[in-house]
Coordinates of all heavy atoms in Angstrom, one line a residue:
T48 N 9.8 7.0 1.4 CA 10.0 5.6 1.5 C 10.2 5.1 3.0 O 10.0 3.9 3.3 CB 11.3 5.1 0.7 OG1 12.4 5.8 1.1 CG2 11.0 5.3 -0.8
K49 N 10.5 6.0 3.9 CA 10.7 5.7 5.3 C 9.5 6.0 6.1 O 9.5 5.8 7.3 CB 11.9 6.4 5.8 CG 13.2 6.1 5.1 CD 14.4 6.1 6.0 CE 15.7 5.9 5.2 NZ 16.0 4.6 4.8
M50 N 8.4 6.6 5.5 CA 7.2 7.0 6.2 C 6.3 5.8 6.3 O 6.2 4.9 5.5 CB 6.5 8.1 5.4 CG 7.2 9.4 5.4 SD 6.2 10.6 4.6 CE 7.4 11.9 4.5
T51 N 5.5 5.8 7.4 CA 4.5 4.8 7.6 C 3.2 5.2 6.8 O 3.2 6.3 6.2 CB 4.0 4.8 9.1 OG1 3.4 6.0 9.4 CG2 5.2 4.5 10.0
T52 N 2.3 4.3 6.7 CA 1.1 4.6 6.0 C 0.3 5.8 6.6 O -0.1 6.7 5.8 CB 0.1 3.3 6.0 OG1 0.8 2.3 5.4 CG2 -1.1 3.6 5.2
D53 N 0.3 5.9 7.9 CA -0.3 7.0 8.5 C 0.4 8.3 8.2 O -0.3 9.4 7.9 CB -0.4 6.9 10.0 CG -1.4 5.8 10.5 OD1 -2.3 5.5 9.7 OD2 -1.3 5.3 11.6
E54 N 1.7 8.3 8.2 CA 2.4 9.5 7.8 C 2.2 9.9 6.4 O 2.0 11.1 6.1 CB 3.9 9.3 8.1 CG 4.3 9.2 9.5 CD 5.7 8.8 9.8 OE1 6.3 8.1 9.0 OE2 6.2 9.2 10.9
L55 N 2.2 9.0 5.5 CA 1.9 9.3 4.1 C 0.5 9.8 3.9 O 0.3 10.8 3.1 CB 2.1 8.0 3.2 CG 3.5 7.6 3.0 CD1 3.5 6.2 2.4 CD2 4.2 8.5 2.0
N56 N -0.5 9.3 4.6 CA -1.8 9.8 4.5 C -1.9 11.2 5.0 O -2.6 12.1 4.5 CB -2.8 8.9 5.3 CG -3.1 7.6 4.5 OD1 -3.2 7.6 3.3 ND2 -3.3 6.5 5.3
E57 N -1.2 11.5 6.1 CA -1.1 12.9 6.7 C -0.5 13.8 5.7 O -1.0 14.9 5.5 CB -0.3 12.9 8.0 CG -0.4 14.2 8.7 CD 0.4 14.2 10.0 OE1 0.7 13.1 10.5 OE2 0.6 15.3 10.6
L58 N 0.6 13.4 5.0 CA 1.3 14.2 4.0 C 0.3 14.5 2.8 O 0.2 15.7 2.4 CB 2.5 13.5 3.5 CG 3.4 14.2 2.5 CD1 3.9 15.5 3.0 CD2 4.5 13.3 2.1
I59 N -0.4 13.5 2.4 CA -1.3 13.7 1.3 C -2.5 14.6 1.7 O -2.9 15.5 0.9 CB -1.8 12.3 0.8 CG1 -0.7 11.6 0.1 CG2 -3.0 12.5 -0.2 CD1 -1.0 10.1 -0.2
T60 N -3.0 14.5 2.9 CA -4.0 15.3 3.4 C -3.6 16.8 3.4 O -4.3 17.7 3.0 CB -4.5 14.9 4.8 OG1 -5.0 13.5 4.7 CG2 -5.6 15.8 5.3
D61 N -2.4 17.0 3.9 CA -1.8 18.3 4.0 C -1.6 18.9 2.6 O -1.8 20.1 2.3 CB -0.5 18.4 4.8 CG -0.8 18.3 6.3 OD1 -1.9 18.4 6.7 OD2 0.2 18.0 7.0
A62 N -1.3 18.1 1.6 CA -1.1 18.5 0.2 C -2.5 18.9 -0.3 O -2.6 19.9 -1.0 CB -0.5 17.4 -0.6
F63 N -3.5 18.2 0.0 CA -4.9 18.5 -0.4 C -5.2 19.9 0.2 O -5.8 20.8 -0.5 CB -5.9 17.5 0.1 CG -5.9 16.2 -0.7 CD1 -6.6 15.1 -0.1 CD2 -5.3 16.1 -1.9 CE1 -6.7 13.9 -0.8 CE2 -5.4 14.9 -2.6 CZ -6.0 13.8 -2.0
D64 N -4.9 20.1 1.5 CA -5.2 21.4 2.1 C -4.4 22.5 1.4 O -5.0 23.6 1.2 CB -4.8 21.4 3.6 CG -5.7 20.5 4.4 OD1 -6.8 20.1 4.0 OD2 -5.3 20.1 5.6
L65 N -3.2 22.3 1.1 CA -2.4 23.3 0.4 C -3.0 23.6 -1.0 O -3.2 24.8 -1.4 CB -0.9 22.9 0.2 CG -0.1 23.9 -0.5 CD1 0.0 25.3 0.2 CD2 1.3 23.4 -0.7
G66 N -3.5 22.6 -1.6 CA -4.1 22.7 -2.9 C -5.4 23.6 -2.8 O -5.6 24.5 -3.6
D67 N -6.2 23.3 -1.8 CA -7.4 24.1 -1.5 C -7.0 25.6 -1.3 O -7.7 26.5 -1.8 CB -8.2 23.6 -0.3 CG -8.8 22.3 -0.6 OD1 -9.0 21.8 -1.8 OD2 -9.3 21.6 0.4
S68 N -6.0 25.8 -0.6 CA -5.6 27.2 -0.3 C -5.0 28.0 -1.5 O -5.1 29.2 -1.5 CB -4.6 27.3 0.9 OG -3.4 26.8 0.5
V69 N -4.5 27.3 -2.5 CA -4.0 27.9 -3.7 C -5.0 27.8 -4.9 O -4.7 28.2 -6.0 CB -2.6 27.4 -4.1 CG1 -1.6 27.7 -3.1 CG2 -2.6 26.0 -4.5
G70 N -6.2 27.2 -4.6 CA -7.2 27.2 -5.6 C -7.3 26.0 -6.6 O -7.8 26.1 -7.7
I71 N -6.7 24.9 -6.1 CA -6.8 23.7 -6.9 C -7.4 22.6 -6.1 O -7.0 22.4 -4.9 CB -5.5 23.3 -7.5 CG1 -5.6 22.1 -8.4 CG2 -4.4 23.1 -6.5 CD1 -4.3 21.7 -9.2
H72 N -8.4 21.9 -6.6 CA -9.1 20.9 -5.8 C -8.5 19.6 -6.1 O -8.5 19.1 -7.2 CB -10.6 20.9 -6.2 CG -11.4 20.0 -5.4 ND1 -11.6 20.1 -4.0 CD2 -12.1 18.9 -5.7 CE1 -12.4 19.2 -3.5 NE2 -12.7 18.4 -4.5
L73 N -7.9 18.9 -5.1 CA -7.1 17.7 -5.3 C -7.8 16.5 -4.6 O -7.2 15.5 -4.3 CB -5.7 17.8 -4.7 CG -4.8 18.8 -5.4 CD1 -3.5 19.0 -4.6 CD2 -4.5 18.3 -6.8
N74 N -9.1 16.6 -4.3 CA -9.7 15.5 -3.6 C -10.1 14.3 -4.6 O -10.6 14.6 -5.7 CB -11.0 16.0 -3.0 CG -11.6 15.0 -2.0 OD1 -11.0 14.0 -1.6 ND2 -12.8 15.2 -1.6
Y75 N -9.7 13.1 -4.2 CA -10.0 11.9 -5.0 C -10.9 11.0 -4.1 O -10.4 10.1 -3.4 CB -8.7 11.2 -5.4 CG -7.9 12.0 -6.4 CD1 -7.0 13.0 -5.9 CD2 -8.1 11.9 -7.7 CE1 -6.3 13.7 -6.8 CE2 -7.4 12.6 -8.6 CZ -6.5 13.6 -8.2 OH -5.8 14.3 -9.1
P76 N -12.2 11.1 -4.2 CA -13.1 10.3 -3.4 C -13.1 8.9 -3.8 O -12.8 8.5 -4.9 CB -14.5 10.9 -3.6 CG -14.4 11.6 -4.9 CD -12.9 12.1 -5.0
D77 N -13.4 8.0 -2.9 CA -13.6 6.6 -3.1 C -12.4 5.9 -3.7 O -12.5 5.1 -4.6 CB -14.8 6.3 -4.0 CG -16.1 6.8 -3.4 OD1 -16.2 6.7 -2.1 OD2 -16.9 7.3 -4.1
N78 N -11.2 6.3 -3.3 CA -9.9 5.8 -3.8 C -9.8 5.8 -5.3 O -9.2 4.9 -5.9 CB -9.7 4.3 -3.3 CG -9.5 4.3 -1.8 OD1 -8.9 5.2 -1.2 ND2 -10.0 3.2 -1.1
E79 N -10.3 6.9 -5.9 CA -10.3 7.0 -7.3 C -8.8 7.1 -7.8 O -8.5 6.7 -8.9 CB -10.9 8.4 -7.7 CG -11.0 8.7 -9.1 CD -11.6 10.0 -9.4 OE1 -12.6 10.4 -8.7 OE2 -11.1 10.8 -10.2

Side-chain angles (χ1 to χ4, degrees):
T48 57
K49 302 212 187 285
M50 290 183 190
T51 65
T52 301
D53 288 341
E54 289 171 330
L55 286 166
N56 283 325
E57 186 178 348
L58 181 62
I59 291 168
T60 300
D61 286 346
F63 286 165
D64 290 343
L65 179 61
D67 289 346
S68 70
V69 298
I71 183 173
H72 186 62
L73 294 171
N74 192 12
Y75 292 88
D77 301 324
N78 293 326
E79 182 182 318

